[in-house]
Amino acid sequence: MFLCLLCGFLMPLFSQSITQMEFRDQPITQILAILGETAGVSIIPDETVSGTASYYFARTGFEEALELFLSAYRLHYTKETKQDRTLYYVSRILTSYDSQQNLVSIRADEVELSLVLRTLSRAMGKTVLFDPLPSDRITLNSVGISPEKALSMAVARYPDYELVADSDYYYIKRKPRKDEPASTGASGSAITREGESFSVSAESARFFDLVKELFSKGDKEYALMLNNDTMLKNLSYSLKTFEEMLRIILEQANADYTVYNDIYYVFQINNRDILNNYKTVEIVPLKYITTQELPQLLPSSLNSSGIMKLNDAENLVILNGSIAELKAIKDFLPLVDKPMGGMEYFRYTFQRIGAEKVQSLLPQKYQRLSPVIHQESNSVIFRIPGGTKEDLSTYLDILDASPGSTPVTLKYLKSEDLMKNLPPSIGKDHIAVTANPSLILFTGPEEKKKQFMRELALFDTPVPQIRYDLLIVQYQESSALNYDMGLSNSRQTGAEGEATENTFIGAIGSLLDLNFDIVSNFGYNFALSLSADLEDRLATVMADTTLNGLSGEEVKFQNTDTYRYVEEEVDEQGNKVAGVTRELSSGLFLNIKGWVSGDGMITMDISSTVSKESSESGDSSSLPPTSERVINTHVRTRSGEPVIIGGLIQQETKITEKKTPILGFIPFVGKLLTKEIKSTENTELSIYIVPTVEYSMPKEENYGAEIRHLYERFIKGSQK
């Protein structure tokens, strides 16, 4: 199993780099695929690339890393550029051909003979024919030799083959056998049959001949699905069934078979697949050390063998290999799996509490033990001094026997908010979150629970709520600048010179429909001025509302108009068609984020934007221009004290027509009696905000009592 400690990045080829990668017993083709994907290039291995590898890639350039890896496993690569893309071809055979001098060079390390011949054929661009060849692997290393010499060298080990050269092709031909004995049997047959049993006895025999003879004497039909023949040596097996004898012969030639419709299909397999049938599996439990410590103790020769797997949950070593391979590890394990320095290992499996919580629940004298936790089995392994096992076991029994958890209901907090700001007395391992955001489970000793509940009561309290009384007024010209925040001695009088309640109500009558308390917040004089402006249409109330939000949360107010415009597009024929529909919102946008401090002060971030669509739009199908006024401010005030935001002034030019009565509406003549008047209008938007901290539900309003209170305060009180 490979460990990938990094991934590379797609960069231009000249700057490609590889950083730390480690592979253990992985197929070479898979390593090349991951290397290519990491560097963003194409690496193409051919049929000669096989086997597994263990390799560590250090931080280096891509091509340098590739060369080092391939040279370690006797592989080669060639680079080719196609359509601005670089391809890397990897093979166990490296060939080159000089067509002018008709010379070939070849390097091949332990490659099957048939693959060497195919590669030479591709390099020379000339056909190479051959009869069934032995499946042996050969090594060639020659530079600048003729093709005939290279092909002759490839089959030099096999005297029963000869090279036939033609102007258009080469043919490696198997010589007719004359004097070669087929077997040591008296009748010239290698296989004999006695009833349903078969025997073979031969010093040497060809694989194809033995298969043919066995199926002939066994009265079976077969299909040979491989091309490579090989010479089998020293065959001596007696009284085997047909399947047993067939299996023995096929395994020596790296072949296997399957039966379909009573026909035996013989095909090629890897030698490794055959060896897997003869490997054994053994399980070795560790008594004193853990599987997490074992890899650090193993020698490198045993650690990289790939025949060992570790089961951390059960503290087991699983071995898979031949008897000889397993012997080295089995002999080594007892040398390290033993008590060290008077220490012993103790494993405890919990029934009620989670093993991952044990570390925080251990008393001080056991904190340094650093237990190894196995979550799958909910157990813990301790390395403890000899003689302390009973004491630790007793404590763990008491810990595991205590109630697993205590439900705690949160009054105002959510469990997710609590986990972000835990009291200092506990850690996250003491709290289990449930599906109910108001319910948590506390795990821990009783003393910790009591301390936690005391601390929880300090901050599981309701978050203050802020009520924002909001009034937005648009003034014409400069009327908004003439208000007086102070109280004056002016008062309304009745017929007998005394102020009356009815006179007071009549003076501010236009304000009675507003929710915003103008008189209490800004005084009687300002209320009269605003009421007069509203009656004379010099002021317009744009918004009169109340917003509520928790301390620290943002509230938004928006009073806008949204217009939709369809953009025109031109199709392939040049016709205008409807395109994308876009939206334009203009008006007032107000965002308030307030926070209540410990002394009751309210700090607010206020963002206000006034946007207006221009009336001068040239194209109705495109978005018109807009004008915007933006104010961002950071203010602090006491609860109930108003905040005023002004200065959002806009100037707009209007064109109106003035016509002569009656005559101005007569066609043609009316144009002579019509006059366009161009005027400039200034408007200012003022925002009045009164933030108030609320800790309880609002009381029911009594507007009649409120009016009497204002009259007593501002009218009668000023007469005394």
Side-chain angles (χ1 to χ4, degrees):
M1 189 159 191
F2 71 88
L3 301 175
C4 187
L5 305 179
L6 138 228
C7 54
F9 300 91
L10 297 178
M11 299 286 291
L13 187 60
F14 62 82
S15 62
Q16 291 166 350
S17 62
I18 299 296
T19 56
Q20 298 176 357
M21 287 193 297
E22 182 179 2
F23 299 89
R24 296 181 182 177
D25 294 318
Q26 289 299 301
I28 294 178
T29 53
Q30 184 174 348
I31 296 176
L32 293 174
I34 295 175
L35 189 63
E37 182 178 357
T38 301
V41 300
S42 297
I43 301 179
I44 306 172
D46 65 7
E47 65 270 22
T48 65
V49 180
S50 61
T52 61
S54 296
Y55 194 82
Y56 174 79
F57 288 91
R59 183 185 298 272
T60 183
F62 164 70
E63 287 197 355
E64 182 181 357
L66 181 63
E67 289 178 359
L68 293 174
F69 171 68
L70 296 181
S71 63
Y73 290 91
R74 296 178 295 179
L75 296 169
H76 315 278
Y77 81 89
T78 56
K79 185 167 61 173
E80 182 178 347
T81 302
K82 291 184 178 179
Q83 298 179 351
D84 298 330
R85 183 174 179 84
T86 303
L87 305 177
Y88 292 81
Y89 295 93
V90 177
S91 177
R92 203 173 290 276
I93 307 172
L94 182 63
T95 58
S96 62
Y97 178 65
D98 186 348
S99 58
Q100 295 181 352
Q101 300 184 18
N102 193 29
L103 297 177
V104 65
S105 299
I106 182 172
R107 289 182 60 186
D109 298 295
E110 294 295 322
V111 184
E112 289 187 12
L113 176 58
S114 60
L115 297 179
V116 173
L117 299 180
R118 292 194 187 105
T119 304
L120 284 171
S121 175
R122 287 195 294 265
M124 297 183 299
K126 195 171 184 179
T127 301
V128 177
L129 304 174
F130 49 86
D131 288 337
L133 298 169
S135 59
D136 299 345
R137 297 177 179 269
I138 65 172
T139 298
L140 295 177
N141 191 358
S142 298
V143 179
I145 61 176
S146 65
E148 292 83 358
K149 185 67 173 177
L151 294 173
S152 298
M153 290 174 55
V155 297
R157 293 174 51 191
Y158 310 101
D160 49 348
Y161 288 88
E162 61 179 351
L163 175 65
V164 178
D166 188 86
S167 59
D168 297 323
Y169 65 89
Y170 295 101
Y171 177 32
I172 297 179
K173 180 181 179 181
R174 182 179 176 185
K175 298 178 182 178
R177 295 183 303 152
K178 297 180 179 179
D179 302 328
E180 179 184 354
S183 68
T184 57
S187 62
S189 174
I191 298 177
T192 58
R193 177 174 179 176
E194 299 178 16
E196 296 299 323
S197 300
F198 297 81
S199 301
V200 60
S201 178
E203 292 181 0
S204 63
R206 290 199 168 275
F207 170 68
F208 285 175
D209 294 341
L210 284 175
V211 172
K212 180 179 180 180
E213 184 177 358
L214 177 62
F215 277 97
S216 175
K217 293 188 176 181
D219 297 326
K220 308 283 186 181
E221 295 180 309
Y222 76 100
L224 208 57
M225 311 295 292
L226 67 167
N227 298 321
N228 294 332
D229 195 5
T230 187
M231 185 70 70
L232 305 183
K233 304 288 186 179
N234 300 322
L235 303 172
S236 180
Y237 306 99
S238 301
L239 302 178
K240 307 295 182 183
T241 64
F242 176 82
E243 280 73 16
E244 290 174 344
M245 184 60 70
L246 177 62
R247 179 69 65 186
I248 292 173
I249 295 174
L250 294 183
E251 286 181 350
Q252 295 186 65
N254 293 339
D256 200 355
Y257 75 92
T258 185
V259 181
Y260 181 74
N261 289 338
D262 295 330
I263 298 177
Y264 288 75
Y265 293 87
V266 180
F267 52 87
Q268 194 83 37
I269 62 173
N270 292 325
N271 184 50
R272 188 165 129 189
D273 297 329
I274 297 175
L275 295 178
N276 286 336
N277 296 328
Y278 301 98
K279 290 185 177 181
T280 182
V281 177
E282 292 191 27
I283 299 177
V284 180
L286 298 178
K287 298 179 180 179
Y288 302 103
I289 64 174
T290 65
T291 53
Q292 298 177 357
E293 298 173 304
L294 181 59
Q296 303 174 2
L297 302 176
L298 284 173
S300 57
S301 58
L302 298 179
N303 198 16
S304 60
S305 62
I307 64 175
M308 178 181 65
K309 290 186 177 181
L310 304 177
N311 184 343
D312 294 338
E314 301 296 332
N315 208 41
L316 303 175
V317 179
I318 303 174
L319 303 176
N320 180 23
S322 64
I323 296 177
E325 289 175 324
L326 300 187
K327 185 177 184 302
I329 295 182
K330 289 172 61 178
D331 291 344
F332 178 79
L333 287 179
L335 300 178
V336 295
D337 187 24
K338 59 183 180 179
M340 299 181 184
M343 303 292 285
E344 61 179 332
Y345 282 87
F346 168 56
R347 181 182 185 128
Y348 189 92
T349 301
F350 292 90
Q351 304 298 325
R352 296 188 179 183
I353 67 173
E356 69 278 0
K357 300 179 181 179
V358 172
Q359 180 69 48
S360 61
L361 300 177
L362 288 174
Q364 187 65 32
K365 63 179 180 179
Y366 293 126
Q367 285 289 336
R368 58 183 178 81
L369 295 180
S370 300
V372 178
I373 299 172
H374 300 276
Q375 294 188 357
E376 294 183 6
S377 61
N378 200 37
S379 59
V380 179
I381 297 179
F382 296 90
R383 177 188 287 179
I384 58 177
T388 61
K389 175 180 177 181
E390 184 176 354
D391 180 55
L392 178 59
S393 178
T394 301
Y395 175 79
L396 296 178
D397 288 340
I398 297 174
L399 186 64
D400 195 33
S402 61
S405 60
T406 302
V408 177
T409 301
L410 302 176
K411 296 180 180 179
Y412 304 101
L413 289 175
K414 290 183 179 180
S415 56
E416 59 181 350
D417 296 330
L418 175 64
M419 296 302 292
K420 295 177 183 177
N421 301 281
L422 287 175
S425 61
I426 64 169
K428 290 185 177 181
D429 52 346
H430 292 92
I431 300 295
V433 179
T434 65
N436 183 352
S438 297
L439 179 66
I440 61 172
L441 300 178
F442 177 82
T443 302
E446 186 64 25
E447 288 300 322
K448 273 189 175 294
K449 175 189 171 184
K450 293 179 179 179
Q451 186 177 359
F452 167 67
M453 296 303 294
R454 289 193 298 268
E455 294 175 346
L456 181 63
L458 296 177
F459 58 87
D460 187 15
T461 56
V463 177
Q465 180 169 291
I466 306 176
R467 185 183 77 242
Y468 303 94
D469 293 318
L470 179 65
L471 179 67
I472 303 176
V473 181
Q474 179 174 292
Y475 295 92
Q476 304 297 328
E477 298 298 337
S478 58
S479 301
L481 305 177
N482 296 330
Y483 59 80
D484 182 6
M485 291 295 295
L487 295 177
S488 68
N489 293 325
S490 62
R491 58 182 182 273
Q492 301 294 323
T493 60
E496 299 180 356
E498 293 183 358
T500 65
E501 184 176 342
N502 291 334
T503 304
F504 172 70
I505 295 175
I508 62 171
S510 58
L511 304 181
L512 296 180
D513 293 333
L514 298 179
N515 293 322
F516 194 90
D517 190 350
I518 299 293
V519 179
S520 296
N521 291 308
F522 298 110
Y524 176 57
N525 206 34
F526 175 69
L528 292 176
S529 176
L530 177 59
S531 179
D533 288 342
L534 292 176
E535 291 179 356
D536 296 338
R537 300 186 180 277
L538 297 177
T540 303
V541 176
M542 305 297 295
D544 173 34
T545 185
T546 299
L547 306 178
N548 292 278
L550 296 179
S551 175
E553 294 186 355
E554 186 177 42
V555 295
K556 297 182 180 181
F557 177 82
Q558 180 174 332
N559 184 7
T560 60
D561 296 320
T562 300
Y563 303 91
R564 293 174 177 84
Y565 299 85
V566 179
E567 293 186 350
E568 292 184 349
E569 297 180 355
V570 180
D571 60 12
E572 297 179 355
Q573 289 75 29
N575 301 321
K576 291 185 177 181
V577 296
V580 180
T581 301
R582 301 189 182 277
E583 293 185 351
L584 174 66
S585 295
S586 60
L588 173 67
F589 302 85
L590 179 64
N591 297 339
I592 307 173
K593 185 175 182 180
W595 174 75
V596 180
S597 60
D599 57 357
M601 297 290 287
I602 301 176
T603 303
M604 294 180 292
D605 288 315
I606 303 174
S607 174
S608 177
T609 301
V610 177
S611 65
K612 189 171 184 179
E613 178 185 351
S614 175
S615 59
E616 301 177 359
S617 178
D619 187 0
S620 60
S621 63
S622 61
L623 291 176
T626 60
S627 60
E628 294 185 346
R629 301 294 183 268
V630 180
I631 288 181
N632 294 318
T633 183
H634 183 77
V635 298
R636 184 171 61 180
T637 183
R638 294 188 179 277
S639 175
E641 292 186 0
V643 173
I644 304 173
I645 299 177
L648 294 173
I649 301 174
Q650 284 187 322
Q651 186 178 77
E652 184 177 6
T653 301
K654 290 186 177 182
I655 299 177
T656 59
E657 290 183 348
K658 186 176 182 181
K659 298 183 178 182
T660 302
I662 302 176
L663 298 178
F665 294 93
I666 299 176
F668 302 108
V669 178
K671 292 185 178 180
L672 300 176
L673 302 175
T674 301
K675 181 181 180 181
E676 288 188 351
I677 300 176
K678 188 175 182 180
S679 62
T680 301
E681 183 180 274
N682 294 328
T683 61
E684 178 182 0
L685 205 66
S686 295
I687 302 173
Y688 307 98
I689 304 173
V690 180
T692 306
V693 180
E694 292 183 334
Y695 292 98
S696 60
M697 297 298 293
K699 62 182 180 179
E700 184 177 353
E701 298 288 351
N702 188 333
Y703 294 104
E706 186 67 17
I707 290 294
R708 285 191 294 271
H709 167 72
L710 295 175
Y711 172 75
E712 294 289 340
R713 175 181 176 185
F714 293 105
I715 305 302
K716 283 191 174 182
S718 63
Q719 295 177 351
K720 296 180 180 179

